[in-house]
Amino acid sequence: MSDFSQADRDEPRWAPVLAILGVFAFLEVLPHHVYALPRWISYAVLVAAIVPMVLVTLSSENAVWLRVEHVAIMLLASVYAGNTAAELGDMVGIITVHPPETRSVSLLTSSFTIWITNVLTFSLLYWQIDAGGPARLARSMAGRPDWLFPQASAPELAAPDWRPLYIDYLSLAFNTAAAFSPTDVLPLTRRAKGLMMIESAIALLTLVLVAARAVNVIP
């Protein structure tokens, strides 16, 4: 199969691009955000993540850009992890050192930002690592799946050529952060279980320790 015909089967990138833009929009718009790295690095990572996605869609020779896309998503996740650690540390300091009554709005906006970016970033990670990534799934070259979707366990209920797309991983990430556990999608590998544990832990710490405390101190 030629690269051109393979490119026709690649998943549209508009949904993950919107997710990446959403991550940085929340980090920029909401106040009192803590940056673990210089802000220009965040902008550079934003461009580095989006450009290969656009080129995957437009280029007929996209094998290189698919690899660049994968590395860029991993880089995005690393930057997010650093900012999340700094943000959580700042909020824990507010709660334990400073009077929380003076920073209740800051706590609420920061916790909301972390929860949303947590969902969006882990959805991108799940999308990129499952069975080798979207490119391998599109070309029927997938390795061992990291998650078992209901359509795979009950193929009679799905289209013959069904495969998980980014929206499916976004739903997985949202349910993991909201319910702190898998719902309809089951993790099969240790790395999948580990990533879901980290996402749930971030969501739990954010909602229970930060958001709940902030709500209690609002007059």
Side-chain angles (χ1 to χ4, degrees), residues 3-215:
D3 289 340
F4 181 81
S5 60
Q6 287 177 342
D8 286 342
R9 300 179 59 196
D10 282 328
E11 175 184 352
R13 295 307 199 254
W14 64 267
V17 166
L18 288 178
I20 293 174
L21 292 175
V23 169
F24 284 87
F26 279 110
L27 297 184
E28 290 295 320
V29 171
L30 294 182
H32 309 297
H33 180 64
V34 176
Y35 283 90
L37 299 171
R39 297 184 69 173
W40 68 266
I41 294 181
S42 297
Y43 293 121
V45 172
L46 172 65
V47 174
I50 291 180
V51 167
M53 289 188 175
V54 174
L55 293 174
V56 164
T57 303
L58 299 179
S59 175
S60 59
E61 300 288 340
N62 61 3
V64 173
W65 293 116
L66 286 168
R67 289 193 290 270
V68 174
E69 175 188 76
H70 180 78
V71 173
I73 296 298
M74 299 300 110
L75 181 61
L76 174 74
S78 300
V79 172
Y80 162 77
N83 278 330
T84 299
E87 191 83 48
L88 286 173
D90 178 67
M91 290 189 293
V92 171
I94 292 173
I95 292 174
T96 58
V97 178
H98 303 287
E101 291 80 2
T102 62
R103 299 285 297 276
S104 58
V105 174
S106 174
L107 288 172
L108 279 176
T109 56
S110 296
S111 61
F112 179 74
T113 303
I114 288 179
W115 196 91
I116 292 295
T117 55
N118 185 39
V119 170
L120 294 177
T121 303
F122 274 91
S123 68
L124 291 165
L125 274 176
Y126 299 158
W127 174 60
Q128 278 294 318
I129 71 171
D130 185 27
R136 294 182 66 85
L137 285 170
R139 290 157 175 75
S140 300
M141 299 169 55
R144 179 184 178 187
D146 291 271
W147 286 272
L148 177 63
F149 287 85
Q151 292 87 345
S153 58
E156 68 277 6
L157 302 178
D161 59 347
W162 186 91
R163 69 178 190 269
L165 303 180
Y166 171 73
I167 298 300
D168 299 293
Y169 298 104
L170 178 60
S171 175
L172 168 63
F174 179 86
N175 291 331
T176 301
F180 310 120
S181 64
T183 52
D184 60 329
V185 182
L186 298 178
L188 300 178
T189 62
R190 292 186 179 92
R191 68 175 179 178
K193 295 175 183 178
L195 286 173
M196 293 179 72
M197 288 172 62
I198 294 172
E199 184 191 0
S200 295
I202 294 173
L204 183 63
L205 181 63
T206 302
L207 293 178
V208 174
L209 296 183
V210 179
R213 181 66 179 273
V215 169

